[in-house]
Amino acid sequence: MNDSAPAPARRARVRAPELVGKGGWLNTGGKEYTLADLRGRIVILDFWTFCCINCLHVLDELRELEEQHRDTVVIIGVHSPKFVHEAEHAAVVDAVERYGVEHPVLDDPELATWKQYAVRAWPTLVVIDPEGYVVAQHAGEGHAHAIAKLVEELEAEHEAKGTLHRGEGPYVAPEPVATDLRFPGKALLLPSGNFLVSDTTRHQLVELAADGESVVRRIGDGERGFGPDSFNEPQGLALLDERTVVVADTVNHALRAVDLASGAVTTLAGTGRQWWQGTPTSGPAREIDLSSPWDVAVFGGKVWIAMAGVHQLWTYDPEAGTVEVAAGTTNEGLVDGPGAEAWFAQPSGLAATEDRLWVADSETSALRYVDLDGHVHTAVGTGLFDFGHRDGDAGQALFQHPLGVTALPDGSVAVSDTYNHALRRFDPATGQVTTLATDLREPSDAVLAGGSGDIVVVESARHRLTRLRLPEEAVRVESVAHRTQRAATEVAGGKLQLDVIFQAPAGQKLDTRYGPSTRLLVSATPPELLAAGDGAGTDLARELVLNPDVTEGVLHVSAMAASCDDDPANEYPACHVHQQDWGVPVRVAEGGADRLPLVLAGLDG
C-alpha cells in the first residue's frame, strides 16, 4: 500500500433503516433478507411502482451497472404502490416478470420502508455502503452514471478497509412459464382477418389466426435489441397501409415498420436513445430521440404517438419522414387547452375516429381527446390522485390507470380499464360511463373483430386474447373511489422555503455553457394553495407563500439539472440531465415545518 496516497474524502453517512414489507420478498428463492445479511456489499435500493414510466426507465438504466458490478453490488427493488391494484401481491409478481427485473424485490404494500427512508417520489434510488450507512439519494431519472462513479469509489474505499465482500448476490431467477404469449401489450386486426399482437415481454410480434389463439408466425428474434430482427418491449401497433404496420418499440425509444409480406423490420423514427430536456423535438425522424412511445394511431394523415416517457403526443409524417411534438409540455398532470399548453400524464392508448383522437391518459386515470384543431379535452377524469371504479355521469365517473381505448361503431369508445380489470364504455352522446365486462386480468387493449359484433380484449396478465360479445346492457358494479394514499407533510402557514438538493456527481460540475443549467417549476392543487412562488425559474431554491385559507393540497414540483465532466482539457465533455417530478401532499398545521427539502441528487445537509 502506498502510504502517500491521498485518503478518500469523508462522506456524509446515515445509518440505513431496516428493510420491511408486508408482501415479502421476490426473486430470492423464498429467502427473507435483512441489511445485516447484505453487509459487505454495496446496496442500491430502487423505490419503484410498476405504473410509473420513470421507474421503468430507471430499471433499464440500472441493467448495465447491475451486470458490471454483480459481485459487489446488490440492487433491491422496494415496490411502493401508488394505485390500489399495485398493492396486490400477485400484481407485483406479474410486474417483476413483465419488466425483466433480475434482482430481489421487497413488496412493501403499506409503504413501511418508503416512510422509513423519507422517500417522496417515484423513482428514488438510495445507496447504502458496505457498512450499512446511507451515502447518497437520487430522485428521478438520469443518475446511473453518477451512481456508477460512486460505486467505483465505494469499491476502492472498502476494499482498502477490508469491509468489501465480493461474491454471488441473493438473486434467484424464477422458473420460466410456457405460454404462447407472455404479457401481451396491444393488438391489431390485419386485412387478412388475423390478429397481430405485441408479445411485449418476449420482445416479439406474434400473428394469430382469426380464432385469436393459433400462432401463425413470430416476428423478431425474441432478444432485446435494436437490430433488423429485434425489438425491446414493443407495445402499440397501427396499420399504415395494406402491407405495413407501425410498431411503438417502447424501450428502444423508436417507431419501427413491419412489412407484412416479408416480415422485414425497419426503423421509421428514433435513434435508440431516450429523449432528454434540451434535445430537439422536431426534425428528420431517424435523427430525433424519442421517449418510451407506448401506442400509435393514424389520425389526420399522420401517425400520432403516445409518448408516455415525456407526457406528450408527437406525430410522425410518413410523407416527409419527420417527427414533431403535437401536444403536451412534458409537465405531468391534467390540463386541457391548445396542444402547446396541455398537460398529460403518461398517455398509453390511442384510438382515432374521423374527428377525434382518443387518449387513455393512464396516470391521471383519464379519458382525453384531441379535436381537429389540435385542442385537448378531458371526457372523464380529474387528476393524478383520484381513481376508482364508478359508473354514471362522466363528471363523477372514475377509472384506474387505463392503458387502452377503442373506437366503437356507434360513436362511443371502449376503455381498457387496466387496474380495475374491466372493459368500460364512454358515450359522448349521453356523457355516461358504463361497465361492459369485469373479471378480466389487466386488460391493456381491445380490438373489434371484423363485422362479428365481438370485441377481442388483450388480457395482458392472463397472457391471452379474450373474445367478448359486446353486451346490449351494462354490467352493474359497486362504485369504489380512491385517492393516492401518502402521508401529508405538515407545514406551517405562510412562508415555506423550498430547497431542491442537487450535488453534481464526482468529477462533474453544473453545465453553464449555454445559460442556466437548472430549472424549477412549481404549481399546486388546488391552485389557490399557493399565494406566491408558483411558476418557472432557474434557481433550485424558492420561497413559497401558502394561502392561509387553504389548509391542505398538493405541491407539484418539477426540477432539472444538467452536469458535465469537469475537465478543461476536454473539448467535448460528457453531459447528463437529472430530472424529477414530485407531488407532495401538504397539510397546514401549527408547529409544522417551514422548510421543504426535496433531494434530486445527494443528501440534505
Side-chain angles (χ1 to χ4, degrees):
M1 178 176 176
N2 184 350
D3 293 336
S4 64
R10 187 166 181 81
R11 188 178 285 111
R13 302 195 307 172
V14 178
R15 177 62 71 178
E18 193 48 82
L19 305 178
V20 292
K22 191 174 181 180
W25 290 79
L26 304 175
N27 283 356
T28 63
K31 182 174 178 178
E32 305 267 323
Y33 278 88
T34 66
L35 283 175
D37 298 326
L38 303 171
R39 199 76 81 238
R41 310 296 290 275
I42 300 163
V43 177
I44 299 173
L45 303 182
D46 176 14
F47 289 88
W48 70 299
T49 189
F50 63 78
C51 72
C52 161
I53 189 67
N54 311 91
C55 299
L56 304 185
H57 289 167
V58 167
L59 284 175
D60 291 315
E61 287 178 5
L62 292 176
R63 293 187 198 279
E64 184 177 350
L65 183 144
E66 193 169 21
E67 181 61 36
Q68 291 181 348
H69 299 271
R70 194 169 288 279
D71 65 335
T72 59
V73 171
V74 174
I75 296 176
I76 294 175
V78 182
H79 190 268
S80 313
K82 171 186 175 181
F83 290 98
V84 169
H85 170 59
E86 293 175 305
E88 298 175 15
H89 183 69
V92 180
V93 173
D94 283 346
V96 167
E97 180 187 349
R98 180 194 298 268
Y99 296 115
V101 180
E102 296 184 353
H103 50 248
V105 173
L106 175 63
D107 182 10
D108 183 19
E110 297 176 348
L111 303 182
T113 297
W114 165 287
K115 294 170 186 173
Q116 286 294 310
Y117 281 82
V119 174
R120 294 185 182 273
W122 299 277
T124 292
L125 298 170
V126 175
V127 182
I128 301 172
D129 74 11
E131 294 178 287
Y133 289 90
V134 174
V135 293
Q137 181 171 323
H138 302 263
E141 303 178 48
H143 300 292
H145 70 288
I147 292 177
K149 181 77 171 176
L150 177 58
V151 164
E152 292 173 359
E153 293 175 0
L154 290 171
E155 285 175 340
E157 178 182 337
H158 289 274
E159 191 97 75
K161 291 172 67 175
T163 49
L164 182 71
H165 303 156
R166 296 178 181 270
E168 289 295 318
Y171 171 66
V172 177
E175 288 293 322
V177 182
T179 53
D180 286 334
L181 301 173
R182 203 70 190 163
F183 298 105
K186 305 286 185 181
L188 176 67
L189 181 66
L190 297 175
S192 65
N194 289 351
F195 295 96
L196 190 65
V197 184
S198 53
D199 197 15
T200 304
T201 301
R202 292 200 175 125
H203 317 296
Q204 289 181 318
L205 308 183
V206 178
E207 184 176 345
L208 300 177
D211 61 9
E213 297 181 8
S214 306
V215 175
V216 175
R217 62 173 168 169
R218 295 180 180 274
I219 300 172
D221 60 13
E223 300 292 330
R224 288 182 187 272
F226 195 35
D229 196 30
S230 301
F231 298 99
N232 197 343
E233 297 185 26
Q235 286 282 349
L237 306 166
L239 202 62
L240 190 59
D241 55 45
E242 287 292 304
R243 59 176 290 161
T244 309
V245 171
V246 179
V247 183
D249 196 4
T250 305
V251 180
N252 275 330
H253 310 295
L255 290 193
R256 316 294 293 282
V258 173
D259 184 299
L260 290 173
S262 66
V265 179
T266 55
T267 299
L268 297 176
T271 63
R273 298 183 300 270
Q274 183 183 341
W275 183 91
W276 288 100
Q277 291 284 355
T279 53
T281 55
S282 64
R286 294 183 61 179
E287 298 175 15
I288 304 298
D289 300 340
L290 309 182
S291 182
S292 295
W294 207 273
D295 203 5
V296 283
V298 177
F299 178 62
K302 295 182 179 180
V303 177
W304 285 65
I305 310 163
M307 204 72 79
V310 285
H311 318 300
Q312 291 179 312
L313 303 180
W314 289 39
T315 57
Y316 164 70
D317 186 333
E319 292 294 325
T322 56
V323 292
E324 64 180 353
V325 175
T329 64
T330 75
N331 295 322
E332 184 179 17
L334 192 152
V335 176
D336 289 339
E341 300 172 13
W343 293 20
F344 294 94
Q346 208 169 305
S348 301
L350 300 175
T353 64
E354 284 189 9
D355 59 353
R356 291 183 180 182
L357 178 73
W358 293 96
V359 183
D361 202 27
S362 62
E363 280 293 286
T364 53
S365 297
L367 176 64
R368 320 276 297 277
Y369 67 90
V370 182
D371 64 25
L372 291 174
D373 294 325
H375 282 66
V376 177
H377 309 262
T378 297
V380 182
T382 58
L384 285 165
F385 303 102
D386 295 297
F387 59 93
H389 191 154
R390 182 195 284 155
D391 286 335
D393 184 75
Q396 55 85 55
L398 295 171
F399 299 125
Q400 186 182 178
H401 199 80
L403 290 178
V405 60
T406 307
L408 300 179
D410 64 357
S412 65
V413 290
V415 177
S416 296
D417 194 5
T418 310
Y419 288 2
N420 279 327
H421 309 299
L423 189 68
R424 312 281 295 284
R425 177 176 178 264
F426 169 68
D427 186 351
T430 64
Q432 295 293 300
V433 175
T434 53
T435 297
L436 297 175
T438 57
D439 301 319
L440 303 167
R441 187 69 185 168
E442 292 194 12
S444 55
D445 195 19
V447 59
L448 291 171
S452 66
D454 291 350
I455 191 167
V456 175
V457 180
V458 180
E459 272 199 278
S460 189
R462 282 202 177 110
H463 319 293
R464 70 187 189 192
L465 301 190
T466 299
R467 184 182 293 263
L468 304 172
R469 177 57 52 94
L470 275 172
E472 294 182 4
E473 294 186 7
V475 177
R476 294 190 180 275
V477 295
E478 183 178 348
S479 294
V480 180
H482 300 287
R483 280 187 67 82
T484 299
Q485 296 301 310
R486 280 183 289 163
T489 299
E490 293 195 344
V491 295
K495 293 181 180 180
L496 176 67
Q497 179 62 36
L498 171 65
D499 291 324
V500 174
I501 312 301
F502 178 75
Q503 296 157 3
Q508 294 205 327
K509 64 178 181 179
L510 288 174
D511 178 16
T512 57
R513 292 172 298 162
Y514 308 108
S517 60
T518 55
R519 186 189 68 170
L520 181 65
L521 178 68
V522 181
S523 61
T525 303
E528 297 76 25
L529 174 63
L530 279 175
D534 62 337
T538 58
D539 194 340
L540 293 181
R542 186 180 300 180
E543 183 178 271
L544 310 181
V545 179
L546 302 184
N547 185 340
D549 297 329
V550 181
T551 57
E552 62 180 346
V554 178
L555 291 174
H556 304 284
V557 181
S558 177
M560 184 274 287
S563 62
C564 292
D565 291 343
D566 188 9
D567 182 1
N570 186 353
E571 186 178 355
Y572 302 104
C575 298
H576 305 273
V577 176
H578 318 255
Q579 61 186 48
Q580 173 61 11
D581 297 331
W582 292 267
V584 183
V586 295
R587 182 183 302 114
V588 178
E590 188 175 346
D594 60 5
R595 177 176 178 264
L596 177 61
L598 299 175
V599 178
L600 179 60
L603 290 175
D604 180 22

